[in-house]
């Protein structure tokens, strides 16, 4: 994460900076409130501000809001004056860190506020296939569309792709298109010039320029309005952007990742999403299965969250009981990984014995998980398999089903056209014509792999 420290680097604040760097933060420093806003406006991005509580924190937050800059603030100060600490929180600071600092407290605050240190925990074969594909495409600069239900881990896989890419040492910038009002999103993405609108007192660098050389994640891209989609399409095609109120384009070098929990092909049919933009974004699709379709990950993730929240709350790490594991694996988790994480956070706080038993794992309404029924679990698995298979075809045209079958068979044959044609029961000429048609429409066609003939 990127940390901007605001204040004079006294001995205690310097110690806090060193601890933050040891915890993995990339730290920069300015001395004044005015310099902090100027740095953020000029594109020196930050995921978190650590501000001396003797400075005008309310003024800093107000100035940032006026510039449409939203970065969380934590206050810090020597002596831990209760009144000053309370004033800082009331002014908008998320946390207060007393100085001299403690390394564990610094690390915990950074993790709690930024939440960008989320390792990839994978045990289930369904997710292992997704990771394998992510590993294949990560070194390229291809745009990737990451799809899946809310809470399934789309941003986690996006960060994973960035970390495995050639741009790993450069910025990873995330923009939640659903969380930013439509009239502010354009400025957030592309920046603005002084005087472009009321309150634009100076040039503001947008997320495209802030991510230059690195990766830009457009989270929940389906929520972007049609006018802005057109501007985004031009940015992707030309690799240049226009600031709001600007008079000349600005070149950018970034890789685009996008996520959606909606069916964008259906959104295209409904006229709410541009088809040409979908083709630009969907060079490769990473579909994250919901947690109920990857039961092998449930216990591994649960144990990871137990360790995380035991450390965050200064509590001993307790193992999960056998019955707790059975109930965790049997639950469908409609809220996916996010729901499981919240449940395990509660369990860490509620467990009273030497283990985290089944009664400590509570649903949001306070009820415990239902007992695991092995017969019901088997029936649920069979039903889920049938549901998944049927859902993959419902709503598709015959041509779309044919395309999916041809491409899946070709991939199974490692790109060997002759073998695929034999399996499909069609001539090699028909197969080649179909593949040529798909390629011309912008569809990715599997190439022959090492040792597989392209005949």
């Amino acid at each position: 994460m990127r940390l901007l420290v605001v204040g004079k680097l006294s001995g205690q604040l310097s110690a806090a900076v060193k601890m933050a760097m040891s915890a993995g933060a990339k730290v920069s420093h300015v001395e004044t409130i005015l310099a902090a806003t100027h740095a953020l406006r000029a594109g020196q991005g930050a995921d978190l501000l650590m501000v001396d509580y003797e400075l005008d924190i309310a003024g800093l937050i107000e100035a940032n809001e006026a510039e449409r800059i939203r970065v969380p603030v934590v206050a810090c100060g020597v002596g831990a004056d209760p009144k000053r600490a309370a004033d800082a929180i009331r002014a908008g600071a998320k946390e207060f860190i007393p100085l001299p600092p403690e390394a564990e407290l610094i690390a915990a605050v950074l993790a709690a506020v930024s939440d960008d240190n989320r390792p990839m925990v994978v045990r289930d074969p369904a997710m292992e296939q997704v990771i394998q594909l992510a590993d294949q495409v990560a070194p390229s600069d291809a745009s990737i569309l990451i799809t899946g239900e809310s809470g399934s881990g789309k941003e986690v896989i996006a960060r994973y792709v960035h970390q495995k890419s050639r741009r790993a040492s450069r910025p990873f910038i995330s923009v939640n298109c659903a969380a930013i009002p439509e009239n502010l999103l354009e400025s957030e993405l592309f920046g603005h010039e002084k005087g472009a609108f009321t309150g634009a007192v100076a040039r503001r660098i947008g997320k495209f320029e802030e991510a230059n050389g690195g990766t830009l994640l457009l989270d929940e891209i389906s929520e972007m309005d049609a006018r802005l989609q057109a501007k985004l399409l031009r940015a992707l095609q030309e690799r240049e952007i226009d600031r709001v109120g600007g008079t000349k384009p600005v070149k950018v070098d970034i890789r685009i990742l996008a996520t959606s929990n909606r069916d964008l092909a259906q959104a295209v049919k409904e006229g709410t999403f541009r088809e040409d933009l979908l083709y630009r974004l969907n060079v490769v699709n990473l579909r994250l299965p919901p947690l109920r379709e990857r039961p092998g990950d449930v216990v591994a993730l649960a144990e990871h969250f137990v360790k995380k929240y035991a450390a965050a709350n200064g509590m001993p790490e307790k193992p999960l009981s056998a019955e707790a594991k059975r109930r965790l694996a049997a639950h469908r988790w409609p809220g996916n990984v996010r729901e499981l994480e919240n449940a395990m956070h509660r369990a860490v706080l509620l467990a009273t014995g030497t283990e985290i038993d089944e009664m400590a794992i509570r649903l949001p309404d306070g009820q415990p998980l239902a007992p695991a029924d092995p017969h019901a679990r088997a029936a649920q698995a069979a039903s889920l398999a049938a549901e998944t298979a049927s859902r993959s075809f419902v709503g598709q045209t015959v041509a779309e089903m044919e395309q999916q079958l041809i491409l899946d068979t070709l991939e199974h044959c490692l790109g060997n056209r002759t073998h695929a044609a034999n399996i499909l029961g069609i001539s090699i000429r028909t197969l080649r014509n179909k593949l040529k048609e798909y390629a011309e429409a912008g569809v990715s066609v599997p190439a022959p792999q090492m040792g597989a003939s392209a005949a």
Side-chain angles (χ1 to χ4, degrees), residues 230-263:
K231 190 166 183 177
L232 173 60
L233 178 63
R234 179 183 178 278
L236 296 180
Q237 290 173 333
E238 307 299 331
R239 295 294 167 181
E240 62 184 26
I241 56 100
D242 295 303
R243 299 191 192 110
V244 178
T247 57
K248 61 180 181 180
V250 179
K251 289 289 184 182
V252 289
D253 170 27
I254 59 173
R255 183 194 199 164
I256 293 291
L257 307 179
T259 73
S260 177
N261 60 13
R262 292 176 53 198
D263 183 347

Side-chain angles (χ1 to χ4, degrees), residues 306-386:
V306 166
K307 183 176 182 179
K308 172 182 176 179
Y309 287 109
N313 290 282
M315 301 174 70
E317 184 182 335
K318 299 177 181 179
L320 292 165
S321 71
E323 179 60 21
K325 290 180 180 180
R326 281 193 289 271
R327 295 197 185 193
L328 284 167
H331 190 66
R332 284 183 62 82
W333 301 109
N336 291 298
V337 180
R338 189 177 296 128
E339 181 188 2
L340 175 63
E341 180 173 3
N342 290 339
M344 299 321 298
H345 192 175
R346 284 192 294 272
V348 167
L349 302 176
L350 295 176
T352 56
T354 58
E355 293 183 313
I356 296 177
D357 64 20
E358 67 275 11
M359 297 310 294
I361 304 173
R362 302 274 171 164
L363 298 173
D365 62 1
Q367 294 299 311
L369 297 178
D373 181 344
H375 300 294
R377 182 66 178 171
Q380 179 188 46
S383 174
L384 177 61

